[in-house]
């Protein structure tokens, strides 16, 4: 039988609408989407959903992806949402509605920790405290919950779990969107405090002791050729590349937006520079956005 062609991953939606219960993590979700390249707006008046989508389309260069939070902070939210959402779907090719919720006890605890007022627990509403306000909002938003493409219960989620669920819900390639920085440095100038991983190459032979190579850097071909002529250097590069091929996707899976890998030699001019450039080429093969910075190369 002929093999079925692999289906391509779904395209990320152009427009994400975030709603749900107060205190359920909508702002955290918006922050995570902004890290994934979405233009985010919090507490947009519901009637402006179609207008905002049109403005995104007409903006200079066009905003290809946007995410908005709409919720019960707006008094007319429930009544106005269905018509505005229907119009939005007519204007935008890809729309996803995400509904966030959590258990009453979790929401109670979160409000207790932040000491912020619940939007339905105010003097001009006939509620009997926070728990009653939470239950009233749950009932109020039930019709909108039925419209959602995905319901996300954040009761037991960490921020990393939330990012993973968003990636699954939106088909957005979390792994491909993490930014990786390869940072070379010299140990004598101090270890970079921003490093997530530190690789030490001081055990490799040092071009500093070759007079004609000393004024050059690891980005110059004579230095790279000198180092790569040594089998130990080649094996070190290959083993580091294998390590990064294993750990970098797992950092991305954990919901990170960026990862800094520092490679150090004594002065930060030759070995670490060459190794950072070589490992950057390997990480790019994993389809990550990669930058290289040489902190101490000019020192």
């Amino acid at each position: 039988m002929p093999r079925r062609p692999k289906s391509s991953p779904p395209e990320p939606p152009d427009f994400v609408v975030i709603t749900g219960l107060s205190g359920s993590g909508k702002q955290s979700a918006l922050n995570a989407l902004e890290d994934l390249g979405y233009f985010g707006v919090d507490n947009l008046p519901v009637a402006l959903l179609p207008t905002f989508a049109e403005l995104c389309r007409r903006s200079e260069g066009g905003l290809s992806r946007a995410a908005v939070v709409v919720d019960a902070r707006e008094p007319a939210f429930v009544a106005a949402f269905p018509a505005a959402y229907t119009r939005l779907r007519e204007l935008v090719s890809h729309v996803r509605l995400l509904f966030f919720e959590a258990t009453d006890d979790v929401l109670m605890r979160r409000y207790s920790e932040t000491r912020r007022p619940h939007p339905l627990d105010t003097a001009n509403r006939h509620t009997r405290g926070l728990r009653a306000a939470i239950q009233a909002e749950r009932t109020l938003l039930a019709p909108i919950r039925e419209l959602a493409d995905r319901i996300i219960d954040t009761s037991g989620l960490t921020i990393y779990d939330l990012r993973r669920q968003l990636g699954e819900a939106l088909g957005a390639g979390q792994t491909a969107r993490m930014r990786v920085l390869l940072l070379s440095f010299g140990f004598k100038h101090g270890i970079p405090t921003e490093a997530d991983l530190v690789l030490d190459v001081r055990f490799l032979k040092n071009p500093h002791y070759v007079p004609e190579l000393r004024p050059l850097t690891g980005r110059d071909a004579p230095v790279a050729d000198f180092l790569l002529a040594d089998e130990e250097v080649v094996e070190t590069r290959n083993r580091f590349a294998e390590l990064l091929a294993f750990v970098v996707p797992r950092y991305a899976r954990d919901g990170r937006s960026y990862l800094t890998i520092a490679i150090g030699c004594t002065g930060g001019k030759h070995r670490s520079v060459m190794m950072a450039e070589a490992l950057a080429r390997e990480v790019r093969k994993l389809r990550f956005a990669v930058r290289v910075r040489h902190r101490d190369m000019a020192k």
Side-chain angles (χ1 to χ4, degrees), residues 101-180:
E101 62 184 17
T103 65
D104 288 1
D105 287 342
V106 168
L107 295 175
M108 290 279 292
R109 187 187 72 241
R110 290 175 182 173
Y111 269 100
S112 175
E113 290 170 351
T114 62
R115 299 189 178 184
R116 297 197 64 192
H118 191 283
L120 299 190
D121 187 22
T122 57
N124 63 338
R125 295 187 184 269
H126 301 290
T127 60
R128 297 185 299 277
L130 179 56
R131 185 175 292 275
I134 291 171
Q135 293 171 350
E137 185 182 38
R138 197 182 295 278
T139 301
L140 183 70
L141 298 185
I144 293 175
R145 186 180 187 274
E146 292 297 318
L147 298 174
D149 296 296
R150 180 75 172 254
I151 297 167
I152 299 178
D153 187 332
T154 64
S155 299
L157 298 186
T158 66
I159 186 63
Y160 303 115
D161 296 330
L162 175 60
R163 287 174 181 270
R164 281 196 294 271
Q165 288 218 16
L166 285 172
E168 294 169 3
L170 304 179
Q174 286 267 107
T175 299
R177 296 186 185 283
M178 185 178 75
R179 298 181 293 277
V180 180

Side-chain angles (χ1 to χ4, degrees), residues 178-182 248 258-261 283 288-291:
M178 185 178 75
R179 298 181 293 277
V180 180
L181 171 65
L182 276 295
V248 171
Y258 56 87
L259 178 70
T260 300
I261 303 166
V283 176
F288 288 93
V290 177
R291 291 190 303 117

Side-chain angles (χ1 to χ4, degrees), residues 178-185 192 194-199 219 237 240-241 244 247-248 258-264 272-286 288-296:
M178 185 178 75
R179 298 181 293 277
V180 180
L181 171 65
L182 276 295
L183 174 64
S184 73
F185 72 97
E194 67 269 35
D196 297 296
L197 291 174
V198 177
L199 304 177
R219 298 182 69 181
R237 179 201 61 191
F240 280 163
L244 297 183
V247 302
V248 171
Y258 56 87
L259 178 70
T260 300
I261 303 166
I263 302 100
S272 62
V273 171
M274 185 282 296
M275 193 63 70
E277 294 284 348
L279 293 178
R281 290 191 289 272
E282 297 301 318
V283 176
R284 287 190 182 100
K285 293 177 183 178
L286 304 174
F288 288 93
V290 177
R291 291 190 303 117
V292 182
R293 183 160 67 88
H294 303 298
R295 190 191 72 177
D296 303 323

Side-chain angles (χ1 to χ4, degrees), residues 39-98:
F39 181 82
V41 177
D42 183 30
N43 203 16
L44 182 76
V46 143
L48 294 182
L49 272 175
T51 304
F52 177 65
E54 188 65 22
L55 289 173
C56 289
R57 188 178 67 83
R58 293 184 180 183
S59 64
E60 185 176 349
L63 285 174
S64 60
R65 296 193 293 179
V68 300
V69 175
V70 292
D71 55 33
R73 285 173 289 178
E74 180 185 359
F77 167 63
V78 174
F81 183 80
Y85 186 59
T86 299
R87 179 57 179 152
L88 175 65
R89 295 182 68 88
E90 293 172 353
L91 293 172
V92 180
S93 57
H94 295 90
V95 181
R96 293 283 280 179
L97 175 60
L98 306 182

